Amino acid sequence: ETGVTQSPTHLIKTRGQQVTLRCSSQSGHNTVSWYQQALGQGPQFIFQYYREEENGRGNFPPRFSGLQFPNYSSELNVNALELDDSALYLCASSPGPASGGLGTDTQYFGPGTRLTVL
Amino acid sequence: DQQVKQNSPSLSVQEGRISILNCDYTNSMFDYFLWYKKYPAEGPTFLISISSIKDKNEDGRFTVFLNKSAKHLSLHIVPSQPGDSAVYFCAARAWGGKLTFGQGTILTVHP
């Protein structure tokens, strides 16, 4: 069973540029969630994709956008990069979206992409 | 507004003793709680979870307790091992799949 993978591992961009981060979900998982983890903080929810559609969004501006593909892999796009966007970006996959507290949608995380904006 | 709080930034424990990590939450709509462990340069690894309809869940050396009236959960690790040294995050989920994380507690287990 292949776990969640993310690419690239590290990335350096300059302010104003655009970036695309990629995530491959774990086999059998159809739901992908993206999180931003700033230094010394817990991960912050960006959005979730289920069957190629956005299924919930956190408190992030529209310049954060995403896609999910038919094979359930996903992309996170960030436009007009700002210095504060420097963070670890984590992708998590799960067998499905929330299912009423039964615990069948535990999210499994990839290793993350470290983005530095200069 | 920090809905999930881990008030202890760090915890140091002797090998073989019990480690107790605490987490408080404010949102009564949370229905599912999880603990993750994170090593440097890796993503969080799922440890154990508990539904809001239970008050205890055990898996090997790890036990999670939930006190709904106090809006408090804790993770007990016994016996603690040096390999348990990592950052531990508690997370809570309301309907919709979004996980809300605490700030993390750095656990150090000394040989």
Side-chain angles (χ1 to χ4, degrees):
Chain A
E1 184 179 87
T2 306
V4 179
T5 60
Q6 292 185 243
S7 63
T9 306
H10 296 88
L11 202 51
I12 299 176
K13 291 285 188 178
T14 56
R15 200 168 43 178
Q17 284 189 310
Q18 177 266 341
V19 68
T20 297
L21 310 181
R22 295 178 175 83
C23 171
S24 292
S25 60
Q26 187 167 317
S27 176
H29 289 187
N30 60 20
T31 302
V32 172
S33 303
W34 286 92
Y35 294 81
Q36 179 195 67
Q37 186 180 12
L39 204 60
Q41 301 294 318
Q44 299 288 315
F45 177 75
I46 303 174
F47 42 56
Q48 180 183 85
Y49 277 84
Y50 170 59
R51 293 187 175 177
E52 302 179 59
E53 294 198 359
E54 189 176 288
N55 183 46
R57 188 178 182 93
N59 189 25
F60 281 81
R63 59 189 185 84
F64 285 78
S65 63
L67 281 175
Q68 187 178 31
F69 299 99
N71 67 354
Y72 304 126
S73 65
S74 177
E75 285 183 356
L76 164 65
N77 298 290
V78 187
N79 294 321
L81 284 167
E82 300 176 359
L83 297 179
D84 285 348
D85 295 333
S86 295
L88 179 67
Y89 287 85
L90 294 162
C91 165
S93 75
S94 52
S99 55
L102 299 180
T104 59
D105 62 336
T106 297
Q107 296 181 18
Y108 296 88
F109 285 82
T113 294
R114 173 71 62 187
L115 172 65
T116 302
V117 183
L118 301 175
Chain B
D1 177 26
Q2 192 73 29
Q3 296 187 50
V4 178
K5 291 184 181 180
Q6 294 175 254
N7 291 316
S8 297
S10 62
L11 175 68
S12 183
V13 171
Q14 201 71 27
E15 181 180 6
R17 306 293 291 269
I18 186 170
S19 295
I20 300 176
L21 298 108
N22 294 302
C23 181
D24 297 297
Y25 63 96
T26 57
N27 189 343
S28 57
M29 298 301 292
F30 289 141
D31 64 354
Y32 187 54
F33 303 88
L34 309 92
W35 283 94
Y36 287 86
K37 176 172 74 172
K38 188 179 185 299
Y39 294 116
E42 294 183 10
T45 302
F46 169 72
L47 269 179
I48 192 169
S49 61
I50 188 167
S51 166
S52 58
I53 62 175
K54 296 185 176 181
D55 55 18
K56 177 182 174 182
N57 188 27
E58 192 172 353
D59 184 3
R61 297 185 298 114
F62 302 92
T63 302
V64 56
F65 294 92
L66 175 63
N67 183 333
K68 282 184 65 178
S69 60
K71 293 190 174 66
H72 176 84
L73 67 155
S74 60
L75 174 68
H76 293 209
I77 307 173
V78 55
S80 301
Q81 300 172 354
D84 295 330
S85 297
V87 181
Y88 287 77
F89 291 98
C90 70
R93 191 204 71 193
W95 182 266
K98 165 188 172 181
L99 291 181
T100 301
F101 283 82
Q103 310 95 307
T105 296
I106 301 170
L107 173 66
T108 305
V109 180
H110 297 283

